[in-house]
Amino acid sequence: MIGECLFVEFAVAGDDCPLADATRATGASVDARPPQLRQDGYALLQFSSTDGDGLAAALDGDDRVRYLHLARDDDRYTYRCLSKHPCVVHELTDAGLLVDSLHYRDGDASVAGAVVGRDVLQAVLAAAGDTVGVTLERTYPIGERGDAAVAERWGLTPAQADALRTAHGMGYFSVPRDADAGDVAAALGVSKSAYLERLRRGLDRLLAGAL
């Protein structure tokens, strides 16, 4: 049994898959489940966004997208479709990345997930290095108890839990604040926008579980 599990985060720029192109054209923000690649080469996509008509029109006009379905739940829309054009995430999953979260905004993507063991990590990094536009943002060991306990109780990803924990420890939530978003992002080693996105999603999940 391999006892080491690592969490890795990648930034993807310049992908030309339907989701990247649609968010680039509309400015929409999309949260996607890991795509599933069928034997016939089509990718099964399921994703959500606060954008309904604009994103739907962009995807519906894409010849690579088939069987687009749109459902509305309050102010959020859930999409399901088939894509003829697999995204670059498949290069990482084929190498061994277990995708935990996938987010598209303005044509760029952030991918986070786990790898089991250093050998798999090296394979994933090699795949990323061979794929245009993919850069490693961060990697760190997943704790045996702490991160798992948080994720099980509140449904947080390790990155979201780390963002909340670091923000709290640095006084981001104090009044007045002891640290601003840029300070916390620097401590986490990510961009300010990436930190704020994790913070928003993490708080949303915490509130959803507590209220």
Side-chain angles (χ1 to χ4, degrees):
M1 179 182 295
I2 297 177
E4 185 177 40
C5 191
L6 302 163
F7 197 79
V8 292
E9 301 167 7
F10 293 97
V12 181
D15 192 6
D16 60 350
C17 72
L19 282 184
D21 285 347
T23 59
R24 186 180 296 113
T26 62
S29 177
V30 165
D31 292 307
R33 290 188 179 181
Q36 302 175 50
L37 189 61
R38 305 196 317 183
Q39 288 185 344
D40 61 3
Y42 280 93
L44 296 167
L45 304 181
Q46 181 173 338
F47 49 97
S48 65
S49 175
T50 56
D51 187 306
D53 295 338
L55 188 62
L59 291 166
D60 205 29
D62 192 325
D63 292 338
R64 300 169 296 176
V65 174
R66 298 183 63 189
Y67 306 115
L68 179 67
H69 178 266
L70 173 61
R72 181 173 181 176
D73 183 11
D74 294 328
D75 293 329
R76 197 159 186 88
Y77 300 84
T78 299
Y79 298 78
R80 295 174 177 87
C81 66
L82 288 179
S83 171
K84 293 181 181 179
H85 188 107
C87 64
V88 299
V89 175
H90 287 293
E91 303 293 333
L92 304 178
T93 56
D94 285 348
L97 177 66
L98 302 170
V99 176
D100 181 73
S101 65
L102 175 58
H103 178 70
Y104 288 88
R105 174 177 285 175
D106 294 330
D108 295 332
S110 58
V111 186
V115 294
V116 180
R118 294 280 174 178
D119 290 343
V120 178
L121 174 62
Q122 292 302 319
V124 172
L125 292 179
D130 292 337
T131 305
V132 176
V134 179
T135 57
L136 177 66
E137 294 284 290
R138 191 169 181 231
T139 179
Y140 58 89
I142 296 178
E144 292 182 0
R145 296 183 59 184
D147 290 337
V150 171
E152 289 174 6
R153 183 174 181 183
W154 301 108
L156 298 173
T157 67
Q160 291 164 357
D162 195 23
L164 287 166
R165 189 182 301 112
T166 303
H168 182 267
M170 294 181 65
Y172 179 80
F173 299 110
S174 300
V175 180
R177 284 179 172 165
D178 295 328
D180 61 21
D183 296 329
V184 182
L188 290 168
V190 300
S191 67
K192 181 178 176 180
S193 62
Y195 158 68
L196 289 173
E197 187 67 21
R198 292 175 196 175
L199 182 67
R200 179 188 68 78
R201 293 188 196 178
L203 289 173
D204 181 65
R205 294 191 183 189
L206 284 177
L207 291 172
L211 297 178

